[in-house]
Amino acid sequence: MLLHISDTHLGKREYNLDSREEDVYNVFEQLMDEAIKERVKAVIHTGDLFDVYEPSNRSKLVAITALKRLRSAEIPFISIPGDHDTPKRKGTYTHKLLREVGLLEVLSDLKEPRVIEDGVRVNIFGSPHFPTSSKEALKDDLAHASPREGRNVLMLHQGLREYLPYDNSWQLQMMDLPQGFNYYALGHLHSRKKVIMPDGSLLAIAGSPEIMRMEEIDDWRRDGKGAYLVDLSKEEPNLHKVDIEVRPQQICEVESQRLEDEVQSLIKELRNLPRKPILHIILTGTSMERAKVMKILSRLAEVTEHYRLEDRTVLAKGIRSDVRSIGANEIIIDYLRENGYNQEEISQILQLLESEEVEEQLKRFAGL
Amino acid sequence: MVLGHVIDEADTISALAITSSKLKLGTYTILEYDGYRVLGLITKVSRGSPLLNGSIRDPDAAERISNMRSNSSLKFPEYTTVRVKLLCNLNDPDLLQPDLPPPPGTPLREPTDDELSQVFSNGDLRLGKLVGSDTEVRIRLRYLTRHLAILAATGSGKSNTVAVLSQRISELGGAVVIFDYHGEYSTSTMKNINPIQPKLNPLRLTAREFATFINIRENAFVQYRILRSIWNSFKESLEKEKKEGEMKLPSSAQEFVERLKSLVETQSESGKKGSKDTVAEVLNKLEDFADTYSSIVDFNAKDVVDQLKLGQVNVVDLINLDEEAMEALVSHYLRRILENGKLTKSAKLRGESHNFFPVVVVLEEAHVFLPRGGSTLVKFWASKVAREGRKFGVSLVIVSQRPKGLDDNILSQMTNKIVLKIVEPTDKRYILESSDNLSEDLVEQLSSLNTGQAIVVGKIVSIPAILQVDKFDGILGGSDPDILGDWRRAREERESTLQVGRRISQIGDL
C-alpha cells in the first residue's frame, strides 16, 4: 500500500493570515498521521511540497518535524520536485537539503526506479517537473522509461492537456505517457482526478490537500480533499480516497440591495460550522458606498476566519467596479514582443511571472 | 548543295528521296519544282545496300561482302532513303501545303536561315530555337485566344515553358494570371510578379455559386429555395446596415455561417419553408462550408479583376489551400474574369470605356480541375472560357502531365498545343485523338524528345515546329526539395530543442 499525496504547498500564506499558513501545515501533518495509521510501505509525493523554492524556516521546520515522525515509523517519503519547488534561477532545491539529512528521497532519473517490496516488487519511477519550454526533452526522457518486473509506478508533476488545455499550461497529453505502468501518479492540478486507462492501468491526480484558491471550492465540495491509498497487490491497482478535514470555504453571491438580509442569515448559518470558514462575498447589482458595505460585512468577522469581498457591482452602464478583466498576460506579451523577444523566451518569462509568489506580491500592491 | 533526289511516286503530303549524305531525322530541307519552293521535314531515315539486302541467307557470304566495305579500293554500293514530309510552300504568302507533288528527280537542298525564319520566326514572342538550328521560334500571340495546352511528363520542362511564356507575355505588356498549384511561381525569381491573395469574397458570389460550394445539388430545389432566400436576406441586411451607417462584415467564415444560420432559423420559424429535415440539411451544409472554406473566405477581399495588373505575371498562390478551396477559388476567379471580359465588350459596343484588358489564364495541374468524367465547377467555367473566351479576350492555357486524365472536350478546344516529352502510349494516343492538327508521325517523335524540347502545333505557329524551349533565367520555386538537407536540419533542430530544454529543466541543483 502506498499513500499518494501532492501539492502540499507548505508555507503558503493566503490573505497574509497566520491561520491560513497553519491550515496548510495542519493538513500536511494529518497526511503523515494517515500514512502512519495505515502502515503504508511508502508515501509518494508528486511535487510542490513547498509553496516556494526557498521556503521560510518555519515551513522547513514543519516539514522536518513531520518527516521525522514518518522516518521513525520506517516509512520512506519518495518525492519529485514540482514547479513551485524548482529554483527559478541558479539555486538549490529544498528537496536536496532534506535528502541530505535523510528525511526524503528524490527521484530524478526516469531510467532508475526506486524499488520497494510490498508483497510484490514495486518499481517507482519519477521525474522532476519540466517547464513547458522543455516538454520535448521530457517526452524524450519518458520514451526511455521502461517498466520492469513487478508493479510499476510513474510519478510526474506536469500539466496534462486534457485538464489544462490553455497555451503554456500543459506539457503532456495522456498519449505521451509511456505504456506498461500500473499507476501513473500525477501532481500539479489541485483537483482530484482518476482515469482508468484502456489497458486497465490507473492515472490519478492526488490534488492539493487544502483549498489553495477560490476556484477549488466547487471541486472540494464534490470530491473532497486529501490523498489516495494505492493498493498494488493486483495487476490493476485499487484506489481508496483518504479525505482530510479542511477549513470550510464558501462563495456567496449577493445582490447589493439584499446584502444586509443575506449577511444576517449567513451569520446564523455559519455559526454552526465546526471550524470558522473563509467566506467569499461576490457583490452584484448596483453599486453601493464602499464604507457602508464594509460596515455591514464587518459583522461577519465573529463567525468567519476571514471574509473577502469581490465587488462586481455596476457603476454605470456597462462599467463594472472591478477592473480585473484586463489581461495582464496580454499586455506583457505585447510588450515583450515589441521589444524583440521570441515566442520561446516570452513563454519562459511568463512562466517565471506566473509563480504565485509574484502574484501574491502584485495582489498586495494592488490592495486586493 | 544538293543533298539527294526524289524517287518513287510522291504525293502532296510526302515524298521519298535517295541520298548519299547523312541526313538526320528531324532536319529541314527544301524541294524546288514547278515554281514551288516547298519546306520539308525529314520524318524517317533508312539506310541499305543492294548487296546486303534482306534476301541474304548465307552468313559467310554476308561476311565476305562486308569485308568489301572496309576495302577502300572498291566502291561499295550503299544508299540512304529519307521520308520527307511536305510542310508548306514558301512561295505561297499563306504558307499553304503544296497542291502538286514533287516530280521524281527533284533535288533536295539545305534551307537557308532566311527560309526557316520566314516560317518559324514570324510571330511576336520568342519561345526557343528550332531543334538543330539557330532559327528562332516565335509564336503568334493573337492566336493564343484559341487557347493552349502545355502537356508533358513530369520533369520534362513544363514549368520552365510556363515561366518563359508568362514572363515574356508580361514583358510585351500583356497580362497573365497563373493559378500556382505548387507555389512554384510565387516563390520564383521571375520579374514582374504581382501576387494575388487567394481570397474569396462571399459577397461577390451568386446564390447558385454559393449553393454549389455548400454542396446543394441542382435537383435539391427545396434546399436551394431556403438558401436563396437567406442569401438574399443576408445581403439585404448588409445593405440596410450600410444605409444606416454601421455595417459589420463577418470577420470569419464561422461568423458568416452563424449569421446565415440565424436567418435560417428565423425563416423556418415563420414556418413556410421546408420540412425540419431539409432545414437541418441546409444547416449541416452551412457548417461544413465554414470548416472547409475558412482559409479563403474574406469579406474584405478585392475582386480578382481589380487586382490584375497589366505587364505583370499575376500569380494566385494555391499552395496552402485544400482541394475544395482551390476548386471554389479557381472557378470563382474564372467566372469573374470571363464576366468582366463580357462587360468590357458590351461596354465598348455601347461606346463606353471599360478598363479591362485581355488576359491569359494559366491553369496548372489541369487534370485536377478538369478531370475526364464528372462535372466540377471549374470545368463548367473553363469550358465556358474555352468556348466564349476568344470573343472576350480571355485565353486559357491548361498545363498537365496527365493528358489522359483531362476532359477530352476541353482538351480538343485547346487548338494550340505545346507538347514536351511524353512516353506513355495511352497519353500519346489521347493527345492525338483530341487534336486535329497533330499527325501520327509527330506524335511518334514525342518519346524521343529531350528535356526542354517540344512540339508546337496550332495557329500560334505557321506549321508544326520542334523546338528547344529557352531556359528560364531565374529560379523556380518548384524544383525538387533537398530532402537530405531537410532531414538533417529537422534533426539538428530537434537536438537543439532537446538540449536547450534539458538545460532549462536542470537549472536548479538537485
Side-chain angles (χ1 to χ4, degrees):
Chain A
M1 205 81 99
L2 304 176
L3 188 73
H4 175 193
I5 64 175
S6 194
D7 296 86
T8 43
H9 287 270
L10 296 177
K12 185 172 173 66
R13 190 178 163 87
E14 232 183 352
Y15 317 121
N16 203 18
L17 290 176
D18 286 347
S19 59
R20 284 302 287 151
E21 192 178 333
E22 289 305 320
D23 286 346
V24 172
Y25 298 145
N26 180 270
V27 294
F28 187 67
E29 276 150 9
Q30 285 189 55
L31 289 172
M32 297 301 107
D33 293 341
E34 288 292 339
I36 295 164
K37 192 181 90 196
E38 297 288 345
R39 299 166 191 275
V40 297
K41 288 291 175 201
V43 172
I44 56 174
H45 187 288
T46 47
D48 287 356
L49 176 59
F50 294 99
D51 195 46
V52 292
Y53 84 92
E54 279 177 334
S56 65
N57 281 344
R58 167 92 179 104
S59 49
K60 277 184 280 195
L61 182 64
V62 169
I64 289 169
T65 318
L67 291 173
K68 263 181 152 171
R69 283 202 289 134
L70 207 60
R71 189 170 62 181
S72 317
E74 292 177 355
I75 300 171
F77 187 92
I78 301 166
S79 69
I80 54 171
D83 50 331
H84 283 248
D85 301 314
T86 305
K88 299 290 183 277
R89 45 189 173 269
K90 284 264 175 225
T92 303
Y93 284 87
T94 311
H95 280 73
K96 184 168 184 173
L97 192 83
L98 295 175
R99 185 183 60 194
E100 207 54 36
V101 293
L103 286 173
L104 56 68
E105 297 172 35
V106 188
L107 298 178
S108 58
D109 187 349
L110 279 169
K111 286 187 212 114
E112 282 304 317
R114 163 74 157 93
V115 181
I116 56 171
E117 287 297 333
D118 186 13
V120 289
R121 201 180 132 105
V122 179
N123 309 298
I124 304 174
F125 295 75
S127 162
H129 169 78
F130 274 57
T132 308
S133 51
S134 308
K135 67 179 174 197
E136 290 305 320
L138 173 63
K139 280 193 235 171
D140 190 55
D141 282 1
L142 284 174
H144 291 103
S146 45
R148 303 192 178 178
E149 181 65 39
R151 307 279 183 262
N152 291 282
V153 174
L154 178 62
M155 293 167 67
L156 293 170
H157 184 94
Q158 302 293 346
L160 276 184
R161 188 178 191 175
E162 283 79 358
Y163 292 115
L164 292 167
Y166 326 103
D167 276 357
N168 284 326
S169 58
W170 58 271
Q171 300 84 37
L172 291 179
Q173 308 185 57
M174 279 187 195
M175 63 178 189
D176 294 326
L177 296 171
Q179 299 234 315
F181 289 83
N182 305 80
Y183 185 63
Y184 300 89
L186 270 88
H188 192 54
L189 195 73
H190 282 190
S191 304
R192 285 170 149 181
K193 303 281 175 197
K194 182 177 137 181
V195 182
I196 298 165
M197 304 291 264
D199 60 356
S201 64
L202 201 64
L203 179 152
I205 300 175
S208 59
E210 236 290 340
I211 302 165
M212 302 285 177
R213 285 192 206 117
M214 189 175 97
E215 291 74 29
E216 294 168 34
I217 294 174
D218 284 347
D219 289 336
W220 160 68
R221 283 196 186 285
R222 196 183 57 234
D223 305 323
K225 287 279 188 190
Y228 284 128
L229 264 176
V230 193
D231 177 3
L232 286 162
S233 57
K234 305 235 172 56
E235 188 92 12
E236 298 185 355
N238 210 339
L239 217 56
H240 301 280
K241 265 185 185 174
V242 176
D243 283 338
I244 296 292
E245 201 200 304
V246 303
R247 183 185 296 283
Q249 300 204 18
Q250 200 164 321
I251 303 174
C252 192
E253 205 175 311
V254 192
E255 218 269 296
S256 59
Q257 301 308 314
R258 298 196 58 253
L259 183 62
E260 207 142 5
D261 298 346
E262 201 69 34
V263 166
Q264 205 60 39
S265 62
L266 271 172
I267 290 172
K268 246 184 241 165
E269 182 192 332
L270 299 179
R271 186 163 279 149
N272 300 325
L273 287 176
R275 290 172 74 186
K276 282 186 171 180
I278 306 287
L279 185 63
H280 308 262
I281 304 277
I282 297 172
L283 201 60
T284 60
T286 47
S287 227
M288 256 171 102
E289 200 186 321
R290 181 94 179 172
K292 196 174 162 198
V293 175
M294 292 323 270
K295 186 153 182 288
I296 300 173
L297 291 181
S298 67
R299 290 171 17 217
L300 289 165
E302 71 173 293
V303 290
T304 62
E305 186 61 37
H306 179 68
Y307 63 85
R308 49 184 289 277
L309 173 68
E310 249 188 69
D311 193 349
R312 290 189 195 161
T313 54
V314 178
L315 284 175
K317 195 183 168 206
I319 304 172
R320 269 179 38 188
S321 309
D322 61 338
V323 284
R324 300 214 301 186
S325 53
I326 290 175
N329 275 2
E330 280 71 48
I331 297 172
I332 295 168
I333 290 171
D334 283 348
Y335 174 81
L336 292 174
R337 198 169 285 144
E338 274 168 27
N339 283 279
Y341 289 85
N342 67 29
Q343 199 53 49
E344 191 84 328
E345 290 162 339
I346 291 174
S347 97
Q348 282 171 28
I349 291 169
L350 281 182
Q351 279 175 46
L352 291 182
L353 289 176
E354 269 164 10
S355 73
E356 301 217 343
E357 191 187 355
V358 175
E359 200 178 308
E360 283 298 314
Q361 293 297 341
L362 284 174
K363 277 186 180 166
R364 202 166 301 160
F365 276 124
L368 291 166
Chain B
M1 183 189 134
V2 173
L3 300 171
H5 295 90
V6 173
I7 55 168
D8 211 351
E9 270 183 8
D11 54 25
T12 55
I13 296 164
S14 76
L16 190 69
I18 189 159
T19 172
S20 53
S21 47
K22 291 189 172 103
L23 279 178
K24 282 186 192 152
L25 189 72
T27 50
Y28 292 91
T29 178
I30 297 279
L31 294 84
E32 285 184 270
Y33 57 92
D34 301 333
Y36 291 83
R37 191 154 50 98
V38 173
L39 182 70
L41 175 69
I42 290 166
T43 56
K44 191 179 176 195
V45 182
S46 332
R47 285 171 87 176
S49 166
L51 294 184
L52 277 171
N53 62 17
S55 64
I56 291 229
R57 292 292 177 271
D58 181 356
D60 291 339
E63 194 186 342
R64 279 198 307 277
I65 297 169
S66 51
N67 282 342
M68 282 165 64
R69 194 170 179 249
S70 45
N71 187 340
S72 54
S73 64
L74 287 166
K75 168 122 176 50
F76 186 78
E78 61 180 318
Y79 60 88
T80 302
T81 58
V82 292
R83 175 59 63 183
V84 184
K85 184 174 154 70
L86 305 176
L87 299 173
C88 63
N89 178 6
L90 298 180
N91 289 344
D92 185 302
D94 294 332
L95 297 175
L96 294 179
Q97 272 222 290
D99 43 15
L100 194 67
T106 304
L108 271 58
R109 68 164 168 83
E110 258 185 86
T112 64
D113 285 347
D114 282 350
E115 280 166 335
L116 285 177
S117 304
Q118 185 194 346
V119 176
F120 295 107
S121 316
N122 58 357
D124 328 283
L125 183 144
R126 178 187 157 129
L127 202 58
K129 285 191 306 192
L130 215 52
V131 166
S133 100
D134 277 335
T135 308
E136 283 191 338
V137 176
R138 292 175 159 272
I139 61 168
R140 303 187 283 191
L141 277 181
R142 65 179 176 284
Y143 291 114
L144 206 57
T145 52
R146 288 161 193 253
H147 314 300
L148 168 68
I150 300 178
L151 308 170
T154 328
S156 45
K158 216 167 16 133
S159 309
N160 180 71
T161 310
V162 173
V164 168
L165 185 71
S166 312
Q167 175 153 348
R168 292 187 181 162
I169 290 177
S170 74
E171 281 165 1
L172 289 170
V176 187
V177 188
I178 303 181
F179 289 107
D180 191 4
Y181 192 95
H182 296 293
E184 288 170 288
Y185 306 101
S186 49
T187 54
S188 74
T189 57
M190 206 187 286
K191 285 171 265 175
N192 315 334
I193 283 189
N194 174 37
I196 291 182
Q197 287 303 317
K199 293 288 177 197
L200 194 149
N201 190 338
L203 294 177
R204 295 185 200 283
L205 297 179
T206 61
R208 184 76 256 179
E209 229 177 338
F210 188 60
T212 315
F213 289 157
I214 72 170
N215 263 326
I216 291 182
R217 277 190 294 276
E218 307 256 327
N219 55 5
F221 46 85
V222 183
Q223 290 180 31
Y224 181 55
R225 188 74 225 134
I226 296 173
L227 182 83
R228 204 183 148 86
S229 88
I230 58 163
W231 184 244
N232 289 335
S233 40
F234 171 70
K235 282 193 166 173
E236 275 164 24
S237 77
L238 280 185
E239 276 307 311
K240 198 167 145 240
E241 285 180 17
K242 195 154 81 184
K243 269 197 201 113
E244 285 163 2
E246 213 176 290
M247 181 162 65
K248 172 140 180 17
L249 290 174
S251 60
S252 65
Q254 273 74 14
E255 200 186 320
F256 167 53
V257 163
E258 283 311 313
R259 278 169 79 165
L260 288 183
K261 272 164 66 187
S262 67
L263 287 170
V264 176
E265 275 144 23
T266 53
Q267 297 221 345
S268 59
E269 265 163 33
S270 64
K272 48 188 177 196
K273 298 196 180 69
S275 71
K276 263 204 174 113
D277 287 353
T278 325
V279 171
E281 189 67 36
V282 173
L283 289 177
N284 280 341
K285 287 176 173 172
L286 281 173
E287 280 165 16
D288 288 346
F289 169 85
D291 293 341
T292 316
Y293 296 113
S294 58
S295 58
I296 55 167
V297 166
D298 180 356
F299 276 83
N300 208 19
K302 256 200 197 170
D303 196 352
V304 60
V305 290
D306 295 329
Q307 295 185 63
L308 297 183
K309 285 191 185 151
L310 208 55
Q312 303 254 328
V313 180
N314 301 280
V315 178
V316 185
D317 191 351
L318 301 178
I319 191 164
N320 293 320
L321 306 182
D322 54 29
E323 271 180 33
E324 283 96 350
M326 277 188 210
E327 167 90 28
L329 199 87
V330 173
S331 61
H332 178 65
Y333 280 16
L334 282 176
R335 188 199 115 208
R336 289 300 302 147
I337 291 170
L338 185 67
E339 281 180 354
N340 241 274
K342 279 187 186 174
L343 273 179
T344 310
K345 176 102 174 182
S346 56
K348 272 194 188 134
L349 285 178
R350 290 196 305 272
E352 294 161 20
S353 76
H354 199 281
N355 58 352
F356 194 63
F357 36 78
V359 177
V360 179
V361 180
V362 182
L363 188 56
E364 283 264 333
E365 300 286 328
H367 50 274
V368 175
F369 296 109
L370 313 170
R372 186 139 69 123
S375 71
T376 68
L377 207 53
V378 174
K379 203 151 133 182
F380 176 80
W381 284 104
S383 341
K384 228 172 153 69
V385 170
R387 278 197 313 273
E388 304 175 1
R390 196 173 133 203
K391 290 179 277 182
F392 307 118
V394 184
S395 312
L396 188 61
V397 177
I398 64 173
V399 185
S400 174
Q401 73 264 30
R402 274 194 68 234
K404 64 172 177 287
L406 274 172
D407 183 70
D408 42 356
N409 226 326
I410 292 182
L411 187 58
S412 64
Q413 291 188 64
M414 305 290 117
T415 55
N416 297 299
K417 289 190 179 69
I418 298 179
V419 192
L420 293 105
K421 182 181 179 113
I422 285 186
V423 182
E424 230 276 310
T426 43
D427 272 338
K428 285 199 284 194
R429 201 174 322 123
Y430 190 66
I431 296 174
L432 183 64
E433 280 165 10
S434 62
S435 322
D436 313 330
N437 44 17
L438 201 56
S439 56
E440 206 154 338
D441 53 338
L442 276 174
V443 170
E444 263 325 298
Q445 303 203 19
L446 287 174
S447 322
S448 56
L449 294 176
N450 289 321
T451 299
Q453 292 184 344
I455 294 178
V456 189
V457 296
K459 280 220 144 194
I460 51 170
V461 282
S462 322
I463 58 163
I466 301 178
L467 81 160
Q468 176 74 44
V469 179
D470 287 339
K471 186 111 187 62
F472 169 66
D473 54 353
I475 299 160
L476 286 177
S479 43
D480 297 322
D482 169 21
I483 191 163
L484 273 176
D486 286 349
W487 281 336
R488 199 192 59 237
R489 271 187 291 281
R491 207 182 65 206
E492 283 169 1
E493 223 162 83
R494 175 163 169 80
E495 274 166 8
S496 102
T497 311
L498 288 182
Q499 219 174 13
V500 172
R502 288 234 158 73
R503 261 211 317 272
I504 294 172
S505 72
Q506 287 161 4
I507 193 169
D509 169 26
L510 185 64

